[in-house]
Amino acid sequence: MLTHSCPDSDERAIEIANELRDPVIWISATINSATAHLSQGDYDIALDLYQASLNFSKEINNPSGTLLALGNIGNFHLLRASYADALDYYQESLKLARSLNIRVSEGQALNNIGNVYLTQGSFPEALNYYQQSLILSEELGLPTGEILSRINIGNVYMAQKNFPEALSVFQKNLRDVRELGDRTGESITLVNIAAVYLEQENYDQAIAYSQLSLELSRTIGNRAIEATALNGLGTAYRETGNNVQALDYYQQGLSIARELGDRAGEAEILANLGDLFEQQDQPELAIVFFKQSVNTHEDIRNTNQALSQELKDSYTSSIEERYRRLAGLLLEENRLLEAQQVLDLLRTQEIEAYLQSVRSSETAPTELEYWQPEEQVLELYSEVLLAKDDLIYLRGKDFDALTADERIRLQELAAREEELLDSFNEFIEHPDVAAAIKKLRTETDGQNIEVSSLRTLQNNIANLPEAVLIYPLIFEDRLELFLIPPDAPPIRRPIDVSSAELNAAILEYRNILRSPRQDAKPAAQKLYNWLIADLEQDLEQLGAKSIIYSPDGALRYIPLAALHDGDRWLAERFAISHITNQSTSDFDTKPSSERRLLAAACANCSFSRTINDEPHSFQNLPFARAEVNNISEQIPDADILIDADFSEAETKLRLGSYNLIHLATHGAFVSDSPDDSFLVFGDGEIATLREIQNWDLRNADLVVLSACETGLGGRDLGSGIEVLGLGYQIQQAGAKAAIASLWQVNDNGTQILMDNFYDAFTSGMPKAAAVQQAQVNLINGEGGTLQQDLRGGLASASSQVNLPEDQKGARHPHYWAPFILIGNGL
């Protein structure tokens, strides 16, 4: 789909304006010259000219010139996928138009702002701006403005998969633009109608309308519309099995997108080429083009860190499928390390969108790496195919208008014309390309590509006793598991379960775990069969006793320890720790032998707070006092802060002096709002998730958040990003590891679990093993006895009558499974 931006400028000559000494003409001519340079790929020159026109317009106090320049600079940044910059200029334009009551310009700015929101996948906001613009145009009696707004409203319907409504809007627009003689509007409307038919799988109509748009866009010289029409034709022919024509149209569209600097359009066509090669059973080429698409998206994301959290989050959601498609292809080719790198990029995006971080860590991946044969394919692509496009383009220009560099390039390409290729199909059949693919198939079997973060992971695993790394990856039609041993090739196991079925099972089990009144084993065994059963033989052969776990999506809400193999809970078999991107390089660092403990409790601290318009009431935690007192007996010379002494100021002052920090208090971490996620101090003050990053935890080997609802999402499944976000923030502040809960924890049950954890930990066990021992103690009924229901979380005896004996009392996973270790498990 193609949006319609404002304003468009007619051709002028700056020289004529200078001769006439007319500032208004000079501004218009400068903008038109900038637009011409933009169409030739001279981006720096174009932006300089646009900025010059803006500066001069402001200097001479020319509102119309200022508005014209602001709109064009915004359009420049929108085309270049610099969405944050585009939004800034559009909003400045809107503010100026409203202050001067220039309503036509106000409507144009509203449309343009809507375009930014549409590109980010924020459809309700985009629709709001378009509708405001439409109302203005109707009030002013501007049919071109009405058409413009309706085109863009139709695009929102398209994005929301409301194809009948979108088609109705576009068809009405087509009649109107033809009546007005608006050829640009007609070309855009034609290509958008084609896009609707493409979604409806009416390929004949899609091709017919795309061809009409293509011819008209070439007549009027609008390269952006031309590229969109070519992309649509490529997809239509791909779906009808005409791969040769599909390749040709995609290639033409890709060349234009790159010529214009349209990074979003380039990323889309690259992904479409990946789809085409996958259909042609050429996975190596498909992967190369998907990699280029993903790396282009990463470049776009890095350019737009200034966008709001909501926009970055919606953009991540809109492109996530391309990352998962690439990961799936890599897994099918048994290129597991590369699939993991794609997964790390996606998880980095989630954390950054949630926490609004510039980059989640210095070691976090920033782009996908290429094998040497893949680089060779891309080099050949540039040398023999794109070079032919350059030659055709340069020959199509007036020779006298060519720059000195362009003339040199033309002479060079003309001398090599015979070796250049005319079509993409010739490129695929090129012997050097075939040789590179053959070499790639050989090299990928060895998995010797240098992926630094994954190499670090394997090196770290080698330093841990009998440990393996397990990564699940959720796809719409399947679950992919892969297991990374310390000194052997990764192991891949695809599982035949849809994301819908998996998420339903996760939600069912999560609800059981939050309330100890149901038998947990049937749901636990169902998830075990999907997540572990197919890895059992591998785990046994590797002699694994410890699992480093990096769950995907909604799997973050279910502790792996609470799965059941039909005989035992996984907690009885493995010590388990979770990792984030922040912990990939230090989860094998040994802790300090000297233990310095700060233990704080909020025992008498009832507290109320509204989170996402929902009130939450927190009650006193009498067992928290006993909890920290018991810990202090196990670790001599501990410092204790209780209630009023456990203030924000006092706690933050002390944090950097301890390597063990235990906070027994309330907290809530919600999936869509880090600013509403918090921990409670004993004096009623709070620390938000974002503020935790500024804590001084550089000396901390472990931070225990013995809190209710720490790491907890909402009642419905989200992405579980708040679990990753919590662990990341604690580690970003310097701590090597954190312990937090996945659901609301009973006060007495928490005290029992923590007593057992510290008993094991102070006896010399590593952190992950100590968590495991505490869990096993409760499973075996040896950890302690639940006393009373002080907070509504403890099941009464009557409510447990129908439970199996091995799940009554604290033996139920509700009590022993909520706390997970994130980070270093030693």
Side-chain angles (χ1 to χ4, degrees), residues 474-479 497-506 554:
I474 300 173
F475 290 88
E476 185 176 351
D477 61 340
R478 69 191 188 281
L479 173 68
V497 57
S498 69
S499 61
E501 187 178 4
L502 178 63
N503 285 342
I506 292 170

Side-chain angles (χ1 to χ4, degrees), residues 658-698:
Y658 302 88
N659 57 18
L660 295 177
I661 298 168
H662 185 101
L663 306 179
T665 183
H666 290 295
F669 289 82
V670 294
S671 60
D672 56 356
S673 182
D675 287 322
D676 284 331
S677 301
F678 61 90
L679 285 175
V680 182
F681 291 102
D683 61 355
E685 295 298 318
I686 65 169
T688 68
L689 180 57
R690 208 178 308 284
E691 291 168 343
I692 289 174
Q693 184 175 344
N694 298 321
W695 287 5
D696 181 7
L697 301 175
R698 288 170 294 177

Side-chain angles (χ1 to χ4, degrees), residues 727-745:
Y728 163 71
Q729 288 294 66
I730 293 290
Q731 292 171 314
Q732 185 77 349
K736 295 182 179 67
I739 290 180
S741 59
L742 293 177
W743 56 82
Q744 187 173 5
V745 185

Side-chain angles (χ1 to χ4, degrees), residues 197-234:
Y197 282 126
L198 193 60
E199 291 285 353
Q200 294 179 326
E201 300 182 2
N202 188 339
Y203 301 121
D204 290 340
Q205 288 283 59
I207 291 170
Y209 278 93
S210 293
Q211 287 286 7
L212 288 173
S213 178
L214 180 62
E215 293 166 7
L216 183 54
S217 64
R218 285 173 170 170
T219 299
I220 63 178
N222 193 311
R223 301 282 279 167
I225 303 173
E226 181 182 354
T228 303
L230 288 166
N231 183 36
L233 282 167

Side-chain angles (χ1 to χ4, degrees), residues 477-490:
D477 61 340
R478 69 191 188 281
L479 173 68
E480 291 275 0
L481 303 174
F482 57 103
L483 183 151
I484 300 179
D487 53 5

Side-chain angles (χ1 to χ4, degrees), residues 488-680:
I491 298 165
R492 174 209 173 203
R493 296 285 183 264
I495 307 300
D496 185 19
V497 57
S498 69
S499 61
E501 187 178 4
L502 178 63
N503 285 342
I506 292 170
L507 183 59
E508 177 190 11
Y509 192 31
R510 180 167 173 257
N511 289 334
I512 291 172
L513 289 172
R514 289 171 63 161
S515 177
R517 293 171 173 80
Q518 298 182 61
D519 184 356
K521 283 185 181 178
Q525 289 178 30
K526 178 188 288 188
L527 287 169
Y528 165 85
N529 289 334
W530 290 329
L531 285 166
I532 298 296
D534 281 32
L535 296 174
E536 276 289 8
Q537 187 174 352
D538 304 308
L539 291 169
E540 183 177 345
Q541 289 176 350
L542 291 166
K545 295 183 179 179
S546 177
I547 292 175
I548 315 299
Y549 185 48
S550 183
D552 185 31
L555 286 171
R556 297 164 186 158
Y557 292 118
I558 298 296
L560 195 67
L563 303 190
H564 199 279
D565 64 9
D567 182 34
R568 292 179 294 171
W569 301 100
L570 285 196
E572 298 176 84
R573 300 173 52 195
F574 302 102
I576 300 168
S577 59
H578 294 60
I579 60 169
T580 69
N581 285 336
Q582 182 67 17
S583 57
T584 56
S585 60
D586 64 358
F587 65 80
D588 65 336
T589 304
K590 292 184 178 180
S592 171
S593 58
E594 180 185 357
R595 294 192 171 117
R596 302 182 309 278
L597 170 68
L598 172 66
C602 186
N604 299 308
C605 55
S606 58
F607 187 78
S608 296
R609 187 170 182 84
T610 299
I611 305 172
N612 288 341
D613 298 325
E614 183 177 347
H616 289 252
S617 296
F618 301 98
Q619 306 302 319
N620 292 332
L621 299 172
F623 283 96
R625 185 188 306 273
E627 182 179 315
V628 297
N629 286 332
N630 289 346
I631 296 170
S632 67
E633 292 176 1
Q634 295 165 306
I635 301 178
D637 301 321
D639 282 349
I640 304 297
L641 300 175
I642 296 179
D643 293 342
D645 293 334
F646 175 29
S647 67
E648 179 180 17
E650 184 66 23
T651 305
K652 290 174 67 175
L653 182 66
R654 292 169 176 255
L655 287 174
S657 302
Y658 302 88
N659 57 18
L660 295 177
I661 298 168
H662 185 101
L663 306 179
T665 183
H666 290 295
F669 289 82
V670 294
S671 60
D672 56 356
S673 182
D675 287 322
D676 284 331
S677 301
F678 61 90
L679 285 175
V680 182

